Amino acid sequence: MKGPLSSLDVEARKDLVERQYNLLRETKDKFNAFIHLREFESIIDEVEGKEGPLTGFLIPVKDNIAVAGLPNTCGSRMLENYVSPYDAHVINLLKRLGGVVVGKTNMDEFAMGNSGETSYFGPTLNPWDRDRVPGGSSSGSAVAVAWDGFASLGSDTGGSVRLPAAYTHILGLKPTYGTLSRYGLISYADSLEQIGLFTRFSLDMAYLLYYLMEYDPRDMTMYSGNVRDVVRKNLKMVFEGKYSVDGLKMAYSNQLITLCEEPVQKKVFDAIDKMEGLGVKVFDVDMDFVEPSLSIYYIIAMVEASSNLARYSGENYGYRVDAGSYWESVRKTRSIGFGDEVKRRIIMGTYASSKGYEGKYYIRALKGRRWVKERLNKLLGLYDFLVLPVSPRLPPRLGEAIGPDGYIIDIFTVVPNLTGNPALTIPIGLVDGLPTGIQLIGNYFSEPDLIFLGYLMEGKIYDPYLSPRGVD
Amino acid sequence: MDLTTDIRRMMEISLVGGDPQSFLEDVKKILDLFDKLDSFEDKFSEVEPLYHPLEYRGSPRQDKVIDVYVDVSKLTDYVEDGYVYLPPIKGVKRLTR
């Protein structure tokens, strides 16, 4: 590996295409990272036929993002036979700029899960330890990059990019809500989710985000203000090595970090000490909004899921069971087509938004959401960014984190989804051979600052060349 | 648990092959998680609900006709006799027709 792919010229990148593809194929065979991987011959033809800033980037794409002519299963039996007839906006940009979609990656069914195990196509395995989960829901996209890859696309509804990034020792970004178009992202909980990026190097992160954040009028929740131009200009400065920030103030919560298991605590405190060594001023503050955020998040996510997934009846597309009457067919289609976790969330979301319980659950959660947003942004008025652990524990063993018992793992990741703030996972090394990470949460549209901080930490807090291939 | 039965019926879902007892245990765990908000009630009972994270107004699309037709057969490797076929899932080679 020769450093960031974006820093190489086009010919050097093309020279790496076959190697990239072979590594991705290994992740499919060894870790079940792909639901569909294209054949090499068609990929090399496409690479040769394109010139642009993203030429040479082979991008694995999470299987809830539409790519024309490729499967779009969302990891579900319900869409097992569904082929997307159109490209998501980010895919359209990627192709237009010379990039190539290499395949569709494995994921928790409809992005509901944090372990990568609820996929109808089997669990994704963690390349650092195949008995453990890689985190989810963007499990396959994370593994594809961890295995000496460069970049991939996922989606983050409650930590689905940041958690697998931490569990596989790579960078994972959830951008500010409204930065990337959600056109072509199959919705699970639309007020919470954003398309996110995985990369090994910070400069590749800045480079890809710069090119993929073009405004799209087809997503009416996309931010259309002038700040987009400022963000793009700053991202360009980051990957051209012209950006700098200093005098940064960072807030952390000693009390929250001590909720983590001990080896994780130690690593997080070490990372904070090292950040202080980089000139960042650190402050221990009260983050009382984190604990209730988990309940708030799950209520809102389940309510939105129950609405978004009501469309899967088998009538128009996807899996279908013929069972005589219309309603019986719909019932059987949904009962067999959805997995247990999806059904749990649909049922509980319907319950939480039903007339008799809406005030007790859904409306109260929405009130809590505003309170969390106000509390978080008050802190971000005083400090440039917050640092939190990504997960309170190391990657669980297979089967340990499925269902409600595993929801607690999301406790540190859900806040930015409720509030729309950007957050970046930075890996902080290994504990007994297993990766862990921290996340930086910034003000709206502060992605250039977050990514630049990631860049400053490369080689000092984490080693971007550290790879599970060395221990396989 | 009549309510969950009603809701399952409303959402047109039944627990095929699932263990009802374990489902009920999971429901209880989820309700316990929801009910944790009881202890924070005083912090946000008077706050306005927030439905969307950034409360900006999106710009509506312009009211004009645009050509949205996409010829998917030109965007995929998986075409035969003019028809797009299901690409191999999990990389398994497609069976011949």
Side-chain angles (χ1 to χ4, degrees), chain A residues 28 32 35-36 38-39 42 68-71 80-81 83-85 87 121 176-178 191 215 217 220-224 292 294-296 298-299 302 306 327 330-331 334-335 343-344 346-348 350-352 357 360-364 366-371 373 404-405 407 418-420 444, chain B residues 3-4 7-16 18 22-23 25-41 43-62 66 70-72 75-78 84-93:
Chain A
K28 171 182 166 292
N32 199 24
I35 287 172
H36 171 80
R38 292 173 60 196
E39 295 296 331
S42 63
L70 293 188
E80 183 183 13
N81 295 330
V83 179
S84 173
D87 282 329
F121 305 100
T176 305
Y177 190 95
S191 82
Y215 179 68
M220 287 178 67
T221 63
M222 205 176 183
Y223 190 75
S224 58
L294 191 68
S295 304
I296 293 168
Y298 269 101
I299 293 170
M302 289 183 186
S306 71
W327 286 111
V330 171
R331 191 170 300 122
R334 289 170 63 79
S335 302
K343 285 195 271 193
R344 260 195 294 271
I346 290 173
I347 289 168
M348 296 312 293
T350 308
Y351 175 71
Y357 292 89
K360 179 171 167 55
Y361 295 120
Y362 184 49
I363 299 299
R364 187 162 66 169
L366 293 174
K367 290 179 174 186
R369 182 181 200 173
R370 184 180 295 279
W371 176 76
K373 180 180 169 176
D405 291 335
Y407 293 175
L418 292 173
T419 63
Y444 298 113
Chain B
L3 184 64
T4 59
I7 287 170
R8 279 191 275 131
R9 191 170 296 136
M10 188 161 72
M11 293 311 295
E12 301 301 342
I13 281 177
S14 60
L15 303 169
V16 177
S22 114
F23 172 75
E25 284 166 17
D26 287 341
V27 165
K28 187 173 178 320
K29 286 175 191 169
I30 295 170
L31 287 176
D32 287 347
L33 175 65
F34 288 1
D35 288 337
K36 282 189 178 170
L37 286 189
D38 290 348
S39 56
F40 296 92
E41 178 72 28
K43 293 189 188 291
F44 43 76
S45 59
E46 301 303 318
V47 175
E48 281 295 303
L50 176 68
Y51 288 87
H52 221 263
L54 305 182
E55 294 175 289
Y56 51 76
R57 285 178 65 86
S59 310
R61 277 179 273 193
Q62 288 186 341
I66 52 171
V70 177
D71 184 355
V72 69
L75 294 171
T76 180
D77 310 327
Y78 305 97
V84 175
Y85 64 82
L86 178 67
I89 302 290
K90 297 189 77 180
V92 178
K93 292 277 185 192

Side-chain angles (χ1 to χ4, degrees), chain A residues 60-373:
Chain A
V61 175
K62 187 176 181 179
D63 204 19
N64 60 350
I65 300 172
V67 180
L70 293 188
N72 204 171
T73 71
C74 290
S76 179
R77 184 178 197 176
M78 187 62 89
L79 293 174
E80 183 183 13
N81 295 330
Y82 178 69
V83 179
S84 173
Y86 72 105
D87 282 329
H89 182 66
V90 290
I91 300 301
N92 192 275
L93 286 170
L94 199 145
K95 289 179 174 177
R96 195 184 343 135
L97 297 168
V100 172
V101 175
V102 71
K104 304 300 291 292
T105 55
N106 205 355
M107 58 180 282
D108 280 300
E109 185 177 6
F110 283 104
M112 297 182 198
N114 55 24
S115 67
E117 293 174 284
T118 68
S119 170
Y120 176 64
F121 305 100
T124 315
L125 307 181
N126 192 321
W128 292 94
D129 179 346
R130 276 176 245 211
D131 293 330
R132 293 180 187 264
V133 304
S137 62
S138 311
S139 50
S141 293
V143 170
V145 174
W147 199 246
D148 282 1
F150 286 102
S152 64
L153 295 183
S155 68
D156 191 313
T157 310
S160 290
V161 164
R162 288 162 288 145
L163 181 68
Y167 279 180
T168 59
H169 203 270
I170 56 173
L171 300 168
L173 175 72
K174 183 205 86 75
T176 305
Y177 190 95
T179 301
L180 294 180
S181 170
R182 289 185 304 110
Y183 178 77
L185 170 66
I186 295 186
S187 275
Y188 146 38
D190 42 285
S191 82
L192 301 164
E193 63 206 1
Q194 268 286 280
I195 286 177
L197 304 170
F198 293 100
T199 61
R200 177 168 293 279
F201 298 98
S202 305
L203 298 187
D204 283 344
M205 182 74 80
Y207 191 77
L208 280 173
L209 186 61
Y210 172 82
Y211 283 109
L212 297 184
M213 65 179 287
E214 187 180 286
Y215 179 68
D216 173 20
R218 293 171 299 185
D219 175 3
M220 287 178 67
T221 63
M222 205 176 183
Y223 190 75
S224 58
N226 293 338
V227 70
R228 301 184 72 80
D229 299 331
V230 178
V231 173
R232 292 194 80 208
K233 183 175 148 229
N234 288 339
L235 286 169
K236 192 162 191 279
M237 288 171 73
V238 171
F239 66 73
E240 288 179 345
K242 297 172 185 166
Y243 197 71
S244 72
V245 281
D246 51 24
L248 288 172
K249 290 189 287 184
M250 177 187 85
Y252 73 99
S253 163
N254 190 71
Q255 180 260 331
L256 287 178
I257 295 170
T258 54
L259 295 178
C260 299
E261 56 186 25
E262 212 172 311
V264 176
Q265 278 184 39
K266 188 173 177 312
K267 271 284 181 194
V268 174
F269 282 126
D270 282 352
I272 291 171
D273 286 346
K274 286 177 183 166
M275 287 167 87
E276 211 168 359
L278 293 174
V280 176
K281 290 181 183 147
V282 300
F283 301 86
D284 180 15
V285 302
D286 178 20
M287 297 189 197
D288 59 353
F289 52 86
V290 171
E291 194 188 336
S293 291
L294 191 68
S295 304
I296 293 168
Y297 166 78
Y298 269 101
I299 293 170
I300 294 172
M302 289 183 186
V303 169
E304 293 190 13
S306 71
S307 170
N308 279 317
L309 273 68
R311 73 189 71 167
Y312 300 105
S313 63
E315 281 303 299
N316 298 319
Y317 47 78
Y319 181 75
R320 175 186 167 85
V321 177
D322 283 313
S325 74
Y326 170 80
W327 286 111
E328 193 53 28
S329 296
V330 171
R331 191 170 300 122
K332 285 206 167 164
T333 296
R334 289 170 63 79
S335 302
I336 297 170
F338 289 136
D340 288 347
E341 183 61 23
V342 174
K343 285 195 271 193
R344 260 195 294 271
R345 294 193 190 199
I346 290 173
I347 289 168
M348 296 312 293
T350 308
Y351 175 71
S353 56
S354 60
K355 194 174 179 189
Y357 292 89
E358 182 190 53
K360 179 171 167 55
Y361 295 120
Y362 184 49
I363 299 299
R364 187 162 66 169
L366 293 174
K367 290 179 174 186
R369 182 181 200 173
R370 184 180 295 279
W371 176 76
V372 170
K373 180 180 169 176

